[in-house]
Amino acid sequence: MTNALIDIQHGLTDAELAERIARGEVNTTTSQTSRSLRSIIRENIFTAFNAILATAAVLILIFGHVQDVVFAGVMIVNAIIGITSEIRAKRTLDSLAIVDAPRARVRRGGKVVQIPASQVVLDDIILIEQGDQICADGVVAASQGLEVDESLLTGESEPVKKHEGDDLLAGTSVVSGAATMQATTVGDRVYAQDLARRARVYSPTVSQIQTSIDRVLKVISALLLPMIALTIWSQTRIAQGEDWSEAIVLAVASVVGMIPQGLVLLTSMNFAIGSATLARRGVLVQELPAVEVLARVDALCTDKTGTLTTGRIAVRELSLFDSAPQETESALATLTALASNETSRAIARALGDQVRALDPEWSVPFSSTRKWAAIGTPSANWYLGAPEILLPDDPSSDLRMRIDAEAGMGHRVVVLVGAQASAFTEDLPAQRHPLALVICEEELRSDAAETMAYFEQQGIRLRVISGDNALTVGTLAKRAGLHRPDGTELRVVDASHLPADHLSDEFADAVEEADVFGRVTPEQKRAMVQALHTRGHCVAMTGDGVNDALALKDADLGIAMGEGARATKAVAQIVLVDSRFSVLPGVLAEGRRIIANMERVSALFLAKTVYAAITVIAIALIAAPYPFLPRHFTYIGALTIGIPAFALALAPNTRRYIPGFLTRILSLAVPAGIALATASLSAYYLVGVGTSAGQTAATLTLMLGALWLLSITARPLVGWRILLLMAMGLLATFGVLVPVTRDFFALVVPTFEQWMVILCAGVLASTFIEGTYRMLNRRLVKQAEEAGALQPALDIQTV
């Protein structure tokens, strides 16, 4: 793009406008306010889990009975839950973006017109004033005391004065004065869009639950073809090649038994329910696994502006000196009414509505050039502004030292001085005496201290990362109650002094050791997140500005404020719609509930995978007919895994996260699966191999042992859990005794002798599982206590 010299009093002509539109030099962007619909659908449909089940379902429809395709419903429901929840979040974000759509005033053909910001073209003459958001990169053509807030891009909360010829960046806001600017860069090439574009490279949230399931699925996928081939070979060998279709159905049964499809569905449902719960609290979850991730976070990086602070200025102290006349507060109220900057509004709030303003003979509004405002009354002239301008140059005075000390702590200081009544002149009167001192500070969010204290109690290390002055940020962090884990003084670092090599150990050491960082660039924020990753931390990052987008994207969990930049909200996994930092503990609690409860029930699903795999191998080795149909696994899975697991997974649970999720699950699931497979095959052999009675015996033995495993994962056995176990046992009994269900599941009523075989095999399997559980639980209690968990790793109390 090239920039032409445009008359700022006339602006672009119609011909120049048309020429730029034809060249595509328009302020339209390809930025998204959220994930695309295509991305959401693709991520939820094209999975290894769905591919396996879809293939199995097609084979059953071709060669078997429709009753055996019930398992495919899990795949459909799982995809619907994921897509629906994430589309709902997308629509919410998109609607927020529509409300926030900016407009611009431009001068074209000598006339000022208001247009959508997306219709601004290169070289447009744009008129900006207080409250406007700048919509394109440009240069100041004429300034009338322009001050710009660049915190969304730089993190620096102090307004920046702009003069003729200075650069302006899209996404910044005018906080004082007015100006005429010429657009020099528009559309996707503006600086803010470059940050957003790099941040928008999609990277899915990493869920430990889903990762563990994927690892299991990868192992199963590797075993599928050998298992299918083995089953088909063994079954056709037994049938002497007469019935290929029956062999294929039995092969699919072996595959379906190995796949923990209910675990995938329950995970999605748990995430969706957690997402809906948080939505009622003002937390928008864009990716369902994000709910779980905060439970694993041990390093939380917070931005200052918009996270710890409200973005407003508050009066910390307003002191009237002994020499101040009675009408001093009224004069102060009159002076603050002349300006519309944040400092004046803070003083007005501190004075309240009870102070009546004076009726001055003359008044001069605040100017960033003069750095003061003034009024004249019959009794005196009053001046409000910067101490370095209004006070005598006496660095040794007590007042001056006090002011310097406050400024050194990051506070903003203004003074009110009086002088003898006179007509207004540009020059300050020689004789001025101080009447009042006003000390302002950034206003902390009312919930910041409590929230930070909560995270510290939960063992999560907080770091404040800001583009502001390091001393100022450190002071705010102390006010918010931030502490080091060892209780020593906070370590505050100016990021401009950090090692230039962001990949070096020195840089990672500095990030690991410090608590507060100031003067941080967007690239440094991103590098800090990556440095914490190299030290083994699970990192969450909060922020509201475009300058936070890159760091949010690279963090394990990106948390954006609802009032923040659209680019930031689009890349974050979680959006705090009301920008309330205090809702984060609720997100943590919901994540802990999900991950702890999913660990509770996952052993049920993976034990099924183990006993299904062992059954396939054993049956092939002994050259016997496969003992289960797909519907048998549906019968067992629904009553010992699916229905009870759903109830258990939704119960409250406050246990802290403990590393080793998959290892602990497999330590119980593998021996339990071996015991269940051994017991069911023994019953099958004793009752009758290849007979309906033998299949029934294997199914009911497996049911009995699996119900005992369910009782272990349901402990402690409080009232509602006992009722749940009793209900599952009764339904299992009805399944074999009621003719309709018995015929549907292809079962027969066992004889007395067969019942004895089933009971003996089931009790032996249950005894082995109980002994294994007790041995493992004793070993894991110590690990849980060392991790600070509220309950042992397997025996989780969730009343």
Side-chain angles (χ1 to χ4, degrees), residues 328-387:
T328 298
E329 287 189 347
S330 296
L332 196 55
T334 308
L335 285 161
T336 56
L338 296 177
S340 57
N341 56 51
E342 190 56 47
T343 301
S344 297
R345 287 191 286 269
I347 297 173
R349 287 194 297 269
L351 291 172
D353 298 330
Q354 303 302 317
V355 179
R356 299 184 61 181
L358 301 175
D359 184 16
E361 295 179 341
W362 54 265
S363 62
V364 178
F366 179 84
S367 163
S368 59
T369 302
R370 288 191 303 267
K371 296 185 181 298
W372 50 262
I375 59 172
T377 65
S379 60
N381 288 359
W382 311 79
Y383 300 85
L384 178 68

Side-chain angles (χ1 to χ4, degrees), residues 658-678:
I658 309 171
F661 176 86
L662 185 58
T663 302
R664 284 194 304 276
I665 294 169
L666 293 177
S667 65
L668 178 62
V670 171
I674 294 172
L676 292 171
T678 303

Side-chain angles (χ1 to χ4, degrees), residues 525-550:
K525 284 190 178 185
R526 187 181 195 181
M528 288 175 178
V529 170
Q530 294 168 345
L532 290 171
H533 281 155
T534 63
R535 297 304 169 94
H537 293 293
C538 182
V539 185
M541 174 78 189
T542 70
D544 64 343
V546 176
N547 64 308
D548 300 318
L550 292 174

Side-chain angles (χ1 to χ4, degrees), residues 546-616:
V546 176
N547 64 308
D548 300 318
L550 292 174
L552 261 65
K553 172 188 170 292
D554 281 3
D556 296 282
L557 183 67
I559 305 170
M561 297 296 168
E563 61 191 21
R566 284 179 290 169
T568 306
K569 289 183 286 188
V571 301
Q573 289 96 339
I574 288 178
V575 179
L576 309 184
V577 177
D578 298 325
S579 299
R580 289 188 294 121
F581 191 42
S582 59
V583 301
L584 283 182
V587 180
L588 174 62
E590 196 64 23
R592 284 182 173 174
R593 180 192 67 77
I594 289 173
I595 198 169
N597 283 345
M598 289 306 299
E599 180 175 330
R600 171 194 289 280
V601 301
S602 291
L604 299 174
F605 294 94
L606 297 185
K608 174 173 172 280
T609 298
V610 173
Y611 67 63
I614 292 175
T615 300
V616 170

Side-chain angles (χ1 to χ4, degrees), residues 146-388:
L146 179 67
E147 294 186 7
V148 175
D149 176 6
E150 297 182 341
S151 61
L152 285 179
L153 295 182
T154 66
E156 169 63 70
S157 62
E158 286 292 325
V160 179
K161 297 179 178 61
K162 297 291 185 177
H163 305 93
E164 186 174 335
D166 287 347
D167 291 329
L168 295 172
L169 296 176
T172 59
S173 301
V174 179
V175 295
S176 181
T180 302
M181 63 171 285
Q182 180 177 350
T184 58
T185 309
V186 295
D188 283 332
R189 298 190 182 183
V190 301
Y191 174 72
Q193 284 299 320
D194 178 60
L195 284 179
R197 183 167 49 253
R198 283 185 280 162
R200 279 199 305 272
V201 178
Y202 176 64
S203 54
T205 303
V206 178
S207 159
Q208 187 180 80
I209 295 173
Q210 290 184 327
T211 300
S212 299
I213 294 173
D214 287 344
R215 288 173 64 185
V216 172
L217 286 177
K218 286 179 180 179
V219 174
I220 293 172
S221 299
L223 296 174
L224 280 183
L225 288 178
M227 288 293 187
I228 291 173
L230 187 62
T231 304
I232 292 176
W233 172 76
S234 65
Q235 299 308 301
T236 52
R237 185 163 59 96
I238 294 167
Q240 296 181 348
E242 295 179 1
D243 192 356
W244 277 86
S245 62
E246 182 66 19
I248 290 173
V249 170
L250 293 174
V252 171
S254 67
V255 170
V256 171
M258 290 172 58
I259 300 172
Q261 68 263 32
L263 182 58
V264 178
L265 174 60
L266 184 59
T267 301
S268 295
M269 293 185 72
N270 223 341
F271 285 156
I273 291 170
S275 173
T277 300
L278 293 173
R280 291 192 292 271
R281 303 175 190 169
V283 179
L284 184 64
V285 179
Q286 296 207 79
E287 296 177 46
L288 294 184
V291 182
E292 172 224 318
V293 176
L294 188 56
R296 298 189 284 110
V297 165
D298 63 353
L300 175 60
C301 301
T302 67
D303 182 39
K304 175 187 72 70
T305 307
T307 304
L308 298 183
T309 64
T310 63
R312 298 197 307 176
I313 300 296
V315 172
R316 181 171 182 267
E317 180 182 337
L318 198 163
S319 302
L320 301 182
F321 299 144
D322 294 338
S323 59
Q326 186 175 359
E327 66 269 26
T328 298
E329 287 189 347
S330 296
L332 196 55
T334 308
L335 285 161
T336 56
L338 296 177
S340 57
N341 56 51
E342 190 56 47
T343 301
S344 297
R345 287 191 286 269
I347 297 173
R349 287 194 297 269
L351 291 172
D353 298 330
Q354 303 302 317
V355 179
R356 299 184 61 181
L358 301 175
D359 184 16
E361 295 179 341
W362 54 265
S363 62
V364 178
F366 179 84
S367 163
S368 59
T369 302
R370 288 191 303 267
K371 296 185 181 298
W372 50 262
I375 59 172
T377 65
S379 60
N381 288 359
W382 311 79
Y383 300 85
L384 178 68
E388 61 270 23

